[in-house]
Amino acid sequence: MSFKTLTIIHTLLVLSLAAFAAFTFFSGPGFVNQFSMENNVFIYVVPIVAMLGYFASKFLYTKALSAINPSAPLNTKLALYQKANILKYALIEGPAFLAFIQFLSNGYTLYFTIGATLMLYLAMQKPSKAKAIEELSLDTTERDSL
């Protein structure tokens, strides 16, 4: 696994989400600030799914990192690190897509705000070598071979 691969994956996920957000913004019904909560289950589903995605991504990422054996070879550690990051990205991106889809259907500003917030959070999760060194607690020889 190289950081270039993980960076490309992350960048494509963020760009695809941003492109979909732009599509929903320009082709949707526009912003609707006043909305009825009657007969709209998504007013509850979208925020709950967004919170579950956020907290599940943090929990499962931490759990996946703690499961990495410190004495494992560097390639194994990096492969498991990439797997943990991709899982984290997916758990953030899924609820964001749901929010943008709901915004496209009825224009409620809340949905677009939730989707944009998750998209910005996903963008901030950009992988880096320094972050991997810190999170994997790599020794000096492993750091040099990155």
Side-chain angles (χ1 to χ4, degrees):
M1 189 236 30
S2 70
F3 284 99
K4 187 175 183 180
T5 304
L6 189 57
T7 302
I8 290 171
I9 290 170
H10 175 264
T11 303
L12 290 175
L13 289 174
V14 172
L15 289 177
S16 67
L17 193 57
F20 189 68
F23 170 76
T24 60
F25 179 77
F26 291 113
S27 66
F31 285 122
V32 176
N33 291 324
Q34 297 177 355
F35 54 90
S36 171
M37 292 175 36
E38 296 175 12
N39 299 327
N40 187 1
V41 70
F42 287 104
I43 197 71
Y44 303 108
V45 171
V46 171
I48 290 171
V49 169
M51 287 188 298
L52 287 175
Y54 171 77
F55 289 117
S57 74
K58 291 184 88 52
F59 174 75
L60 293 176
Y61 182 71
T62 304
K63 187 175 178 182
L65 286 183
S66 65
I68 296 174
N69 185 357
S71 62
L74 180 61
N75 288 340
T76 304
K77 288 181 187 179
L78 292 177
L80 292 172
Y81 182 72
Q82 181 178 11
K83 180 181 171 185
N85 273 288
I86 292 172
L87 176 65
K88 176 173 69 170
Y89 302 155
L91 289 171
I92 296 167
E93 188 175 30
F97 267 119
L98 174 66
F100 288 131
I101 289 169
Q102 286 306 307
F103 174 75
L104 184 62
S105 70
N106 55 25
Y108 293 166
T109 308
L110 174 68
Y111 300 146
F112 192 84
T113 304
I114 289 171
T117 303
L118 289 171
M119 181 178 64
L120 291 174
Y121 177 69
L122 178 62
M124 292 183 341
Q125 300 304 307
K126 185 174 190 234
S128 69
K129 287 184 181 182
K131 192 174 177 183
I133 289 169
E134 178 186 334
E135 291 177 337
L136 293 174
S137 301
L138 300 179
D139 60 25
T140 309
T141 56
E142 291 174 329
R143 290 178 190 184
D144 293 338
S145 63
L146 276 181

mmCIF file of all heavy atoms in Angstrom, residues 41-92:
data_model
loop_
_atom_site.group_PDB
_atom_site.id
_atom_site.type_symbol
_atom_site.label_atom_id
_atom_site.label_comp_id
_atom_site.label_asym_id
_atom_site.label_seq_id
_atom_site.Cartn_x
_atom_site.Cartn_y
_atom_site.Cartn_z
ATOM 1 N N VAL A 41 -40.664 11.090 7.084
ATOM 2 C CA VAL A 41 -39.856 10.330 8.019
ATOM 3 C C VAL A 41 -38.375 10.700 7.898
ATOM 4 O O VAL A 41 -37.612 10.547 8.853
ATOM 5 C CB VAL A 41 -40.079 8.809 7.818
ATOM 6 C CG1 VAL A 41 -39.485 8.326 6.514
ATOM 7 C CG2 VAL A 41 -39.527 8.020 8.985
ATOM 8 N N PHE A 42 -37.965 11.230 6.752
ATOM 9 C CA PHE A 42 -36.560 11.544 6.550
ATOM 10 C C PHE A 42 -36.078 12.723 7.394
ATOM 11 O O PHE A 42 -34.879 12.906 7.558
ATOM 12 C CB PHE A 42 -36.276 11.789 5.067
ATOM 13 C CG PHE A 42 -36.300 10.526 4.274
ATOM 14 C CD1 PHE A 42 -37.374 10.223 3.462
ATOM 15 C CD2 PHE A 42 -35.260 9.625 4.364
ATOM 16 C CE1 PHE A 42 -37.405 9.056 2.745
ATOM 17 C CE2 PHE A 42 -35.272 8.452 3.646
ATOM 18 C CZ PHE A 42 -36.352 8.157 2.834
ATOM 19 N N ILE A 43 -36.989 13.509 7.923
ATOM 20 C CA ILE A 43 -36.599 14.594 8.814
ATOM 21 C C ILE A 43 -35.930 14.022 10.076
ATOM 22 O O ILE A 43 -35.126 14.684 10.727
ATOM 23 C CB ILE A 43 -37.805 15.501 9.167
ATOM 24 C CG1 ILE A 43 -37.331 16.833 9.738
ATOM 25 C CG2 ILE A 43 -38.742 14.847 10.123
ATOM 26 C CD1 ILE A 43 -36.687 17.723 8.744
ATOM 27 N N TYR A 44 -36.246 12.770 10.392
ATOM 28 C CA TYR A 44 -35.629 12.075 11.521
ATOM 29 C C TYR A 44 -34.511 11.145 11.052
ATOM 30 O O TYR A 44 -33.492 11.012 11.723
ATOM 31 C CB TYR A 44 -36.670 11.260 12.293
ATOM 32 C CG TYR A 44 -37.824 12.089 12.790
ATOM 33 C CD1 TYR A 44 -39.080 11.991 12.206
ATOM 34 C CD2 TYR A 44 -37.640 12.994 13.828
ATOM 35 C CE1 TYR A 44 -40.136 12.767 12.650
ATOM 36 C CE2 TYR A 44 -38.692 13.776 14.278
ATOM 37 C CZ TYR A 44 -39.936 13.655 13.686
ATOM 38 O OH TYR A 44 -40.969 14.436 14.127
ATOM 39 N N VAL A 45 -34.718 10.504 9.905
ATOM 40 C CA VAL A 45 -33.776 9.491 9.428
ATOM 41 C C VAL A 45 -32.428 10.107 9.055
ATOM 42 O O VAL A 45 -31.374 9.590 9.445
ATOM 43 C CB VAL A 45 -34.373 8.716 8.230
ATOM 44 C CG1 VAL A 45 -33.336 7.825 7.574
ATOM 45 C CG2 VAL A 45 -35.565 7.896 8.677
ATOM 46 N N VAL A 46 -32.437 11.205 8.305
ATOM 47 C CA VAL A 46 -31.182 11.789 7.819
ATOM 48 C C VAL A 46 -30.270 12.230 8.973
ATOM 49 O O VAL A 46 -29.087 11.849 8.996
ATOM 50 C CB VAL A 46 -31.449 12.934 6.816
ATOM 51 C CG1 VAL A 46 -30.175 13.685 6.486
ATOM 52 C CG2 VAL A 46 -32.086 12.389 5.548
ATOM 53 N N PRO A 47 -30.745 12.989 9.960
ATOM 54 C CA PRO A 47 -29.839 13.352 11.059
ATOM 55 C C PRO A 47 -29.361 12.150 11.879
ATOM 56 O O PRO A 47 -28.196 12.107 12.293
ATOM 57 C CB PRO A 47 -30.676 14.292 11.931
ATOM 58 C CG PRO A 47 -31.736 14.809 11.040
ATOM 59 C CD PRO A 47 -32.022 13.707 10.070
ATOM 60 N N ILE A 48 -30.244 11.180 12.077
ATOM 61 C CA ILE A 48 -29.851 9.997 12.858
ATOM 62 C C ILE A 48 -28.802 9.186 12.113
ATOM 63 O O ILE A 48 -27.791 8.769 12.689
ATOM 64 C CB ILE A 48 -31.087 9.149 13.220
ATOM 65 C CG1 ILE A 48 -31.936 9.889 14.250
ATOM 66 C CG2 ILE A 48 -30.688 7.774 13.730
ATOM 67 C CD1 ILE A 48 -33.282 9.259 14.530
ATOM 68 N N VAL A 49 -29.006 8.985 10.808
ATOM 69 C CA VAL A 49 -28.033 8.242 10.009
ATOM 70 C C VAL A 49 -26.709 8.999 9.951
ATOM 71 O O VAL A 49 -25.629 8.401 9.996
ATOM 72 C CB VAL A 49 -28.595 7.943 8.599
ATOM 73 C CG1 VAL A 49 -27.521 7.423 7.670
ATOM 74 C CG2 VAL A 49 -29.743 6.954 8.686
ATOM 75 N N ALA A 50 -26.774 10.319 9.860
ATOM 76 C CA ALA A 50 -25.546 11.123 9.841
ATOM 77 C C ALA A 50 -24.771 10.965 11.151
ATOM 78 O O ALA A 50 -23.543 10.783 11.134
ATOM 79 C CB ALA A 50 -25.882 12.592 9.590
ATOM 80 N N MET A 51 -25.469 11.027 12.266
ATOM 81 C CA MET A 51 -24.793 10.861 13.560
ATOM 82 C C MET A 51 -24.246 9.447 13.710
ATOM 83 O O MET A 51 -23.120 9.264 14.191
ATOM 84 C CB MET A 51 -25.745 11.191 14.705
ATOM 85 C CG MET A 51 -26.022 12.666 14.832
ATOM 86 S SD MET A 51 -26.957 13.116 16.309
ATOM 87 C CE MET A 51 -28.480 12.242 16.070
ATOM 88 N N LEU A 52 -25.035 8.452 13.312
ATOM 89 C CA LEU A 52 -24.561 7.074 13.397
ATOM 90 C C LEU A 52 -23.331 6.860 12.515
ATOM 91 O O LEU A 52 -22.377 6.187 12.928
ATOM 92 C CB LEU A 52 -25.671 6.098 13.002
ATOM 93 C CG LEU A 52 -26.797 5.909 14.008
ATOM 94 C CD1 LEU A 52 -27.883 5.015 13.427
ATOM 95 C CD2 LEU A 52 -26.259 5.330 15.304
ATOM 96 N N GLY A 53 -23.344 7.420 11.317
ATOM 97 C CA GLY A 53 -22.195 7.293 10.431
ATOM 98 C C GLY A 53 -20.953 7.934 11.010
ATOM 99 O O GLY A 53 -19.860 7.366 10.964
ATOM 100 N N TYR A 54 -21.113 9.123 11.570
ATOM 101 C CA TYR A 54 -19.979 9.826 12.176
ATOM 102 C C TYR A 54 -19.399 9.036 13.351
ATOM 103 O O TYR A 54 -18.190 8.779 13.403
ATOM 104 C CB TYR A 54 -20.413 11.219 12.630
ATOM 105 C CG TYR A 54 -19.372 11.930 13.460
ATOM 106 C CD1 TYR A 54 -18.269 12.506 12.855
ATOM 107 C CD2 TYR A 54 -19.487 12.004 14.845
ATOM 108 C CE1 TYR A 54 -17.298 13.153 13.616
ATOM 109 C CE2 TYR A 54 -18.528 12.640 15.606
ATOM 110 C CZ TYR A 54 -17.439 13.216 14.993
ATOM 111 O OH TYR A 54 -16.482 13.835 15.747
ATOM 112 N N PHE A 55 -20.254 8.658 14.298
ATOM 113 C CA PHE A 55 -19.755 7.965 15.481
ATOM 114 C C PHE A 55 -19.268 6.559 15.155
ATOM 115 O O PHE A 55 -18.281 6.095 15.725
ATOM 116 C CB PHE A 55 -20.813 7.949 16.580
ATOM 117 C CG PHE A 55 -21.033 9.293 17.201
ATOM 118 C CD1 PHE A 55 -22.261 9.928 17.109
ATOM 119 C CD2 PHE A 55 -20.009 9.956 17.868
ATOM 120 C CE1 PHE A 55 -22.462 11.181 17.661
ATOM 121 C CE2 PHE A 55 -20.195 11.212 18.429
ATOM 122 C CZ PHE A 55 -21.428 11.824 18.324
ATOM 123 N N ALA A 56 -19.939 5.871 14.229
ATOM 124 C CA ALA A 56 -19.483 4.538 13.832
ATOM 125 C C ALA A 56 -18.132 4.617 13.134
ATOM 126 O O ALA A 56 -17.274 3.748 13.334
ATOM 127 C CB ALA A 56 -20.515 3.868 12.920
ATOM 128 N N SER A 57 -17.926 5.655 12.332
ATOM 129 C CA SER A 57 -16.629 5.784 11.655
ATOM 130 C C SER A 57 -15.509 5.986 12.666
ATOM 131 O O SER A 57 -14.441 5.396 12.536
ATOM 132 C CB SER A 57 -16.656 6.934 10.652
ATOM 133 O OG SER A 57 -16.626 8.191 11.293
ATOM 134 N N LYS A 58 -15.743 6.799 13.670
ATOM 135 C CA LYS A 58 -14.721 7.028 14.690
ATOM 136 C C LYS A 58 -14.474 5.758 15.512
ATOM 137 O O LYS A 58 -13.329 5.389 15.765
ATOM 138 C CB LYS A 58 -15.130 8.175 15.603
ATOM 139 C CG LYS A 58 -15.104 9.529 14.913
ATOM 140 C CD LYS A 58 -15.423 10.653 15.841
ATOM 141 C CE LYS A 58 -14.265 11.232 16.563
ATOM 142 N NZ LYS A 58 -13.104 11.650 15.817
ATOM 143 N N PHE A 59 -15.559 5.084 15.909
ATOM 144 C CA PHE A 59 -15.431 3.888 16.738
ATOM 145 C C PHE A 59 -14.743 2.750 15.985
ATOM 146 O O PHE A 59 -13.798 2.136 16.487
ATOM 147 C CB PHE A 59 -16.818 3.443 17.229
ATOM 148 C CG PHE A 59 -16.804 2.144 17.976
ATOM 149 C CD1 PHE A 59 -16.326 2.091 19.275
ATOM 150 C CD2 PHE A 59 -17.266 0.975 17.388
ATOM 151 C CE1 PHE A 59 -16.304 0.895 19.971
ATOM 152 C CE2 PHE A 59 -17.254 -0.219 18.073
ATOM 153 C CZ PHE A 59 -16.767 -0.268 19.372
ATOM 154 N N LEU A 60 -15.223 2.458 14.772
ATOM 155 C CA LEU A 60 -14.663 1.344 14.016
ATOM 156 C C LEU A 60 -13.236 1.630 13.557
ATOM 157 O O LEU A 60 -12.415 0.712 13.466
ATOM 158 C CB LEU A 60 -15.565 0.996 12.837
ATOM 159 C CG LEU A 60 -16.925 0.413 13.222
ATOM 160 C CD1 LEU A 60 -17.781 0.198 11.996
ATOM 161 C CD2 LEU A 60 -16.759 -0.880 14.006
ATOM 162 N N TYR A 61 -12.930 2.884 13.279
ATOM 163 C CA TYR A 61 -11.561 3.245 12.899
ATOM 164 C C TYR A 61 -10.611 3.013 14.067
ATOM 165 O O TYR A 61 -9.547 2.414 13.907
ATOM 166 C CB TYR A 61 -11.528 4.714 12.445
ATOM 167 C CG TYR A 61 -10.181 5.189 11.988
ATOM 168 C CD1 TYR A 61 -9.637 4.733 10.793
ATOM 169 C CD2 TYR A 61 -9.442 6.099 12.738
ATOM 170 C CE1 TYR A 61 -8.393 5.171 10.363
ATOM 171 C CE2 TYR A 61 -8.213 6.541 12.310
ATOM 172 C CZ TYR A 61 -7.691 6.081 11.115
ATOM 173 O OH TYR A 61 -6.470 6.518 10.693
ATOM 174 N N THR A 62 -10.999 3.468 15.232
ATOM 175 C CA THR A 62 -10.171 3.265 16.427
ATOM 176 C C THR A 62 -10.013 1.782 16.727
ATOM 177 O O THR A 62 -8.914 1.316 17.069
ATOM 178 C CB THR A 62 -10.790 3.989 17.635
ATOM 179 O OG1 THR A 62 -10.953 5.363 17.300
ATOM 180 C CG2 THR A 62 -9.922 3.868 18.861
ATOM 181 N N LYS A 63 -11.106 1.037 16.578
ATOM 182 C CA LYS A 63 -11.063 -0.403 16.837
ATOM 183 C C LYS A 63 -10.150 -1.110 15.833
ATOM 184 O O LYS A 63 -9.381 -1.999 16.208
ATOM 185 C CB LYS A 63 -12.482 -0.968 16.768
ATOM 186 C CG LYS A 63 -12.592 -2.404 17.170
ATOM 187 C CD LYS A 63 -14.032 -2.856 17.193
ATOM 188 C CE LYS A 63 -14.124 -4.315 17.553
ATOM 189 N NZ LYS A 63 -15.496 -4.810 17.537
ATOM 190 N N ALA A 64 -10.242 -0.716 14.566
ATOM 191 C CA ALA A 64 -9.398 -1.336 13.538
ATOM 192 C C ALA A 64 -7.928 -1.008 13.765
ATOM 193 O O ALA A 64 -7.057 -1.865 13.566
ATOM 194 C CB ALA A 64 -9.837 -0.882 12.151
ATOM 195 N N LEU A 65 -7.641 0.205 14.191
ATOM 196 C CA LEU A 65 -6.245 0.572 14.459
ATOM 197 C C LEU A 65 -5.689 -0.180 15.668
ATOM 198 O O LEU A 65 -4.536 -0.588 15.670
ATOM 199 C CB LEU A 65 -6.113 2.078 14.686
ATOM 200 C CG LEU A 65 -6.226 2.973 13.463
ATOM 201 C CD1 LEU A 65 -5.995 4.422 13.852
ATOM 202 C CD2 LEU A 65 -5.266 2.567 12.367
ATOM 203 N N SER A 66 -6.511 -0.359 16.677
ATOM 204 C CA SER A 66 -6.030 -1.061 17.869
ATOM 205 C C SER A 66 -5.841 -2.553 17.608
ATOM 206 O O SER A 66 -5.095 -3.218 18.337
ATOM 207 C CB SER A 66 -6.989 -0.844 19.038
ATOM 208 O OG SER A 66 -8.235 -1.436 18.776
ATOM 209 N N ALA A 67 -6.481 -3.070 16.563
ATOM 210 C CA ALA A 67 -6.335 -4.489 16.235
ATOM 211 C C ALA A 67 -5.070 -4.776 15.433
ATOM 212 O O ALA A 67 -4.730 -5.936 15.217
ATOM 213 C CB ALA A 67 -7.558 -4.969 15.458
ATOM 214 N N ILE A 68 -4.381 -3.744 14.991
ATOM 215 C CA ILE A 68 -3.153 -3.939 14.218
ATOM 216 C C ILE A 68 -2.034 -4.361 15.167
ATOM 217 O O ILE A 68 -1.739 -3.677 16.143
ATOM 218 C CB ILE A 68 -2.767 -2.654 13.455
ATOM 219 C CG1 ILE A 68 -3.851 -2.319 12.432
ATOM 220 C CG2 ILE A 68 -1.414 -2.822 12.768
ATOM 221 C CD1 ILE A 68 -3.642 -0.997 11.711
ATOM 222 N N ASN A 69 -1.423 -5.482 14.863
ATOM 223 C CA ASN A 69 -0.351 -6.029 15.691
ATOM 224 C C ASN A 69 0.912 -5.181 15.522
ATOM 225 O O ASN A 69 1.408 -5.044 14.404
ATOM 226 C CB ASN A 69 -0.091 -7.479 15.281
ATOM 227 C CG ASN A 69 0.914 -8.167 16.170
ATOM 228 O OD1 ASN A 69 1.477 -7.570 17.087
ATOM 229 N ND2 ASN A 69 1.141 -9.445 15.893
ATOM 230 N N PRO A 70 1.457 -4.635 16.612
ATOM 231 C CA PRO A 70 2.660 -3.798 16.493
ATOM 232 C C PRO A 70 3.881 -4.547 15.959
ATOM 233 O O PRO A 70 4.791 -3.951 15.405
ATOM 234 C CB PRO A 70 2.923 -3.316 17.915
ATOM 235 C CG PRO A 70 1.673 -3.566 18.669
ATOM 236 C CD PRO A 70 0.951 -4.669 17.976
ATOM 237 N N SER A 71 3.903 -5.873 16.119
ATOM 238 C CA SER A 71 5.052 -6.643 15.647
ATOM 239 C C SER A 71 4.851 -7.179 14.226
ATOM 240 O O SER A 71 5.722 -7.879 13.713
ATOM 241 C CB SER A 71 5.327 -7.801 16.605
ATOM 242 O OG SER A 71 4.208 -8.677 16.639
ATOM 243 N N ALA A 72 3.742 -6.857 13.604
ATOM 244 C CA ALA A 72 3.480 -7.304 12.233
ATOM 245 C C ALA A 72 4.412 -6.586 11.263
ATOM 246 O O ALA A 72 4.914 -5.497 11.563
ATOM 247 C CB ALA A 72 2.021 -7.028 11.872
ATOM 248 N N PRO A 73 4.627 -7.192 10.097
ATOM 249 C CA PRO A 73 5.448 -6.500 9.089
ATOM 250 C C PRO A 73 4.795 -5.193 8.647
ATOM 251 O O PRO A 73 3.578 -5.033 8.731
ATOM 252 C CB PRO A 73 5.510 -7.490 7.923
ATOM 253 C CG PRO A 73 4.981 -8.776 8.436
ATOM 254 C CD PRO A 73 4.206 -8.513 9.677
ATOM 255 N N LEU A 74 5.630 -4.290 8.163
ATOM 256 C CA LEU A 74 5.151 -2.965 7.775
ATOM 257 C C LEU A 74 4.079 -3.050 6.695
ATOM 258 O O LEU A 74 3.073 -2.328 6.760
ATOM 259 C CB LEU A 74 6.317 -2.098 7.302
ATOM 260 C CG LEU A 74 5.962 -0.687 6.869
ATOM 261 C CD1 LEU A 74 5.338 0.091 8.029
ATOM 262 C CD2 LEU A 74 7.194 0.037 6.347
ATOM 263 N N ASN A 75 4.246 -3.926 5.710
ATOM 264 C CA ASN A 75 3.244 -4.041 4.641
ATOM 265 C C ASN A 75 1.881 -4.460 5.182
ATOM 266 O O ASN A 75 0.848 -3.970 4.727
ATOM 267 C CB ASN A 75 3.704 -5.035 3.564
ATOM 268 C CG ASN A 75 4.822 -4.469 2.725
ATOM 269 O OD1 ASN A 75 5.012 -3.259 2.671
ATOM 270 N ND2 ASN A 75 5.573 -5.348 2.069
ATOM 271 N N THR A 76 1.871 -5.335 6.159
ATOM 272 C CA THR A 76 0.613 -5.762 6.781
ATOM 273 C C THR A 76 -0.024 -4.613 7.540
ATOM 274 O O THR A 76 -1.241 -4.393 7.449
ATOM 275 C CB THR A 76 0.874 -6.952 7.734
ATOM 276 O OG1 THR A 76 1.499 -7.998 7.013
ATOM 277 C CG2 THR A 76 -0.418 -7.444 8.352
ATOM 278 N N LYS A 77 0.787 -3.885 8.284
ATOM 279 C CA LYS A 77 0.274 -2.734 9.029
ATOM 280 C C LYS A 77 -0.341 -1.701 8.082
ATOM 281 O O LYS A 77 -1.419 -1.173 8.341
ATOM 282 C CB LYS A 77 1.386 -2.063 9.835
ATOM 283 C CG LYS A 77 1.863 -2.821 11.035
ATOM 284 C CD LYS A 77 2.945 -2.008 11.718
ATOM 285 C CE LYS A 77 3.612 -2.759 12.830
ATOM 286 N NZ LYS A 77 4.677 -1.972 13.467
ATOM 287 N N LEU A 78 0.349 -1.421 6.988
ATOM 288 C CA LEU A 78 -0.139 -0.420 6.045
ATOM 289 C C LEU A 78 -1.405 -0.877 5.329
ATOM 290 O O LEU A 78 -2.305 -0.070 5.067
ATOM 291 C CB LEU A 78 0.951 -0.062 5.041
ATOM 292 C CG LEU A 78 2.148 0.682 5.626
ATOM 293 C CD1 LEU A 78 3.200 0.917 4.554
ATOM 294 C CD2 LEU A 78 1.725 1.991 6.257
ATOM 295 N N ALA A 79 -1.495 -2.169 5.021
ATOM 296 C CA ALA A 79 -2.708 -2.693 4.379
ATOM 297 C C ALA A 79 -3.900 -2.582 5.327
ATOM 298 O O ALA A 79 -5.004 -2.191 4.910
ATOM 299 C CB ALA A 79 -2.499 -4.136 3.945
ATOM 300 N N LEU A 80 -3.696 -2.902 6.583
ATOM 301 C CA LEU A 80 -4.777 -2.788 7.568
ATOM 302 C C LEU A 80 -5.123 -1.321 7.829
ATOM 303 O O LEU A 80 -6.285 -0.988 8.068
ATOM 304 C CB LEU A 80 -4.392 -3.492 8.868
ATOM 305 C CG LEU A 80 -4.283 -5.015 8.777
ATOM 306 C CD1 LEU A 80 -3.719 -5.590 10.066
ATOM 307 C CD2 LEU A 80 -5.625 -5.633 8.445
ATOM 308 N N TYR A 81 -4.127 -0.454 7.761
ATOM 309 C CA TYR A 81 -4.360 0.983 7.924
ATOM 310 C C TYR A 81 -5.205 1.514 6.762
ATOM 311 O O TYR A 81 -6.133 2.293 6.970
ATOM 312 C CB TYR A 81 -3.016 1.703 8.001
ATOM 313 C CG TYR A 81 -3.118 3.189 8.217
ATOM 314 C CD1 TYR A 81 -3.511 3.699 9.448
ATOM 315 C CD2 TYR A 81 -2.821 4.087 7.206
ATOM 316 C CE1 TYR A 81 -3.604 5.060 9.667
ATOM 317 C CE2 TYR A 81 -2.906 5.453 7.411
ATOM 318 C CZ TYR A 81 -3.303 5.927 8.645
ATOM 319 O OH TYR A 81 -3.396 7.289 8.856
ATOM 320 N N GLN A 82 -4.896 1.069 5.554
ATOM 321 C CA GLN A 82 -5.679 1.482 4.391
ATOM 322 C C GLN A 82 -7.121 0.978 4.504
ATOM 323 O O GLN A 82 -8.064 1.721 4.232
ATOM 324 C CB GLN A 82 -5.049 0.954 3.107
ATOM 325 C CG GLN A 82 -5.799 1.358 1.861
ATOM 326 C CD GLN A 82 -5.126 0.872 0.591
ATOM 327 O OE1 GLN A 82 -4.208 0.056 0.619
ATOM 328 N NE2 GLN A 82 -5.582 1.363 -0.540
ATOM 329 N N LYS A 83 -7.282 -0.250 4.931
ATOM 330 C CA LYS A 83 -8.622 -0.823 5.105
ATOM 331 C C LYS A 83 -9.424 -0.025 6.137
ATOM 332 O O LYS A 83 -10.599 0.280 5.923
ATOM 333 C CB LYS A 83 -8.482 -2.284 5.542
ATOM 334 C CG LYS A 83 -9.777 -3.002 5.749
ATOM 335 C CD LYS A 83 -9.504 -4.436 6.193
ATOM 336 C CE LYS A 83 -10.758 -5.119 6.618
ATOM 337 N NZ LYS A 83 -10.512 -6.466 7.154
ATOM 338 N N ALA A 84 -8.792 0.347 7.232
ATOM 339 C CA ALA A 84 -9.470 1.119 8.278
ATOM 340 C C ALA A 84 -9.882 2.490 7.754
ATOM 341 O O ALA A 84 -10.984 2.975 8.044
ATOM 342 C CB ALA A 84 -8.558 1.263 9.498
ATOM 343 N N ASN A 85 -9.016 3.127 6.979
ATOM 344 C CA ASN A 85 -9.340 4.445 6.430
ATOM 345 C C ASN A 85 -10.480 4.369 5.428
ATOM 346 O O ASN A 85 -11.376 5.220 5.442
ATOM 347 C CB ASN A 85 -8.096 5.067 5.783
ATOM 348 C CG ASN A 85 -7.262 5.817 6.776
ATOM 349 O OD1 ASN A 85 -7.648 6.886 7.234
ATOM 350 N ND2 ASN A 85 -6.123 5.255 7.148
ATOM 351 N N ILE A 86 -10.463 3.378 4.560
ATOM 352 C CA ILE A 86 -11.533 3.245 3.565
ATOM 353 C C ILE A 86 -12.870 2.995 4.254
ATOM 354 O O ILE A 86 -13.902 3.544 3.850
ATOM 355 C CB ILE A 86 -11.189 2.156 2.535
ATOM 356 C CG1 ILE A 86 -10.015 2.632 1.681
ATOM 357 C CG2 ILE A 86 -12.391 1.811 1.669
ATOM 358 C CD1 ILE A 86 -9.446 1.591 0.752
ATOM 359 N N LEU A 87 -12.868 2.198 5.313
ATOM 360 C CA LEU A 87 -14.101 1.973 6.076
ATOM 361 C C LEU A 87 -14.599 3.278 6.693
ATOM 362 O O LEU A 87 -15.787 3.602 6.632
ATOM 363 C CB LEU A 87 -13.854 0.935 7.171
ATOM 364 C CG LEU A 87 -15.014 0.669 8.119
ATOM 365 C CD1 LEU A 87 -16.187 0.056 7.360
ATOM 366 C CD2 LEU A 87 -14.583 -0.226 9.251
ATOM 367 N N LYS A 88 -13.674 4.059 7.249
ATOM 368 C CA LYS A 88 -14.041 5.348 7.840
ATOM 369 C C LYS A 88 -14.634 6.267 6.781
ATOM 370 O O LYS A 88 -15.664 6.907 7.005
ATOM 371 C CB LYS A 88 -12.809 5.990 8.485
ATOM 372 C CG LYS A 88 -13.064 7.383 9.035
ATOM 373 C CD LYS A 88 -11.885 7.935 9.809
ATOM 374 C CE LYS A 88 -10.725 8.231 8.933
ATOM 375 N NZ LYS A 88 -9.655 8.986 9.631
ATOM 376 N N TYR A 89 -14.015 6.320 5.613
ATOM 377 C CA TYR A 89 -14.511 7.181 4.538
ATOM 378 C C TYR A 89 -15.909 6.763 4.096
ATOM 379 O O TYR A 89 -16.773 7.598 3.851
ATOM 380 C CB TYR A 89 -13.572 7.166 3.334
ATOM 381 C CG TYR A 89 -12.157 7.589 3.608
ATOM 382 C CD1 TYR A 89 -11.117 7.162 2.799
ATOM 383 C CD2 TYR A 89 -11.829 8.421 4.679
ATOM 384 C CE1 TYR A 89 -9.812 7.552 3.028
ATOM 385 C CE2 TYR A 89 -10.517 8.806 4.919
ATOM 386 C CZ TYR A 89 -9.513 8.361 4.084
ATOM 387 O OH TYR A 89 -8.222 8.743 4.325
ATOM 388 N N ALA A 90 -16.129 5.467 3.982
ATOM 389 C CA ALA A 90 -17.435 4.969 3.528
ATOM 390 C C ALA A 90 -18.540 5.300 4.534
ATOM 391 O O ALA A 90 -19.658 5.642 4.135
ATOM 392 C CB ALA A 90 -17.365 3.467 3.298
ATOM 393 N N LEU A 91 -18.230 5.195 5.809
ATOM 394 C CA LEU A 91 -19.230 5.480 6.832
ATOM 395 C C LEU A 91 -19.573 6.958 6.928
ATOM 396 O O LEU A 91 -20.610 7.329 7.454
ATOM 397 C CB LEU A 91 -18.761 4.956 8.194
ATOM 398 C CG LEU A 91 -18.771 3.437 8.325
ATOM 399 C CD1 LEU A 91 -18.083 3.007 9.609
ATOM 400 C CD2 LEU A 91 -20.196 2.894 8.266
ATOM 401 N N ILE A 92 -18.702 7.803 6.417
ATOM 402 C CA ILE A 92 -18.992 9.242 6.378
ATOM 403 C C ILE A 92 -19.694 9.602 5.071
ATOM 404 O O ILE A 92 -20.637 10.390 5.048
ATOM 405 C CB ILE A 92 -17.692 10.055 6.538
ATOM 406 C CG1 ILE A 92 -17.070 9.798 7.906
ATOM 407 C CG2 ILE A 92 -17.955 11.539 6.341
ATOM 408 C CD1 ILE A 92 -15.647 10.296 8.045
#
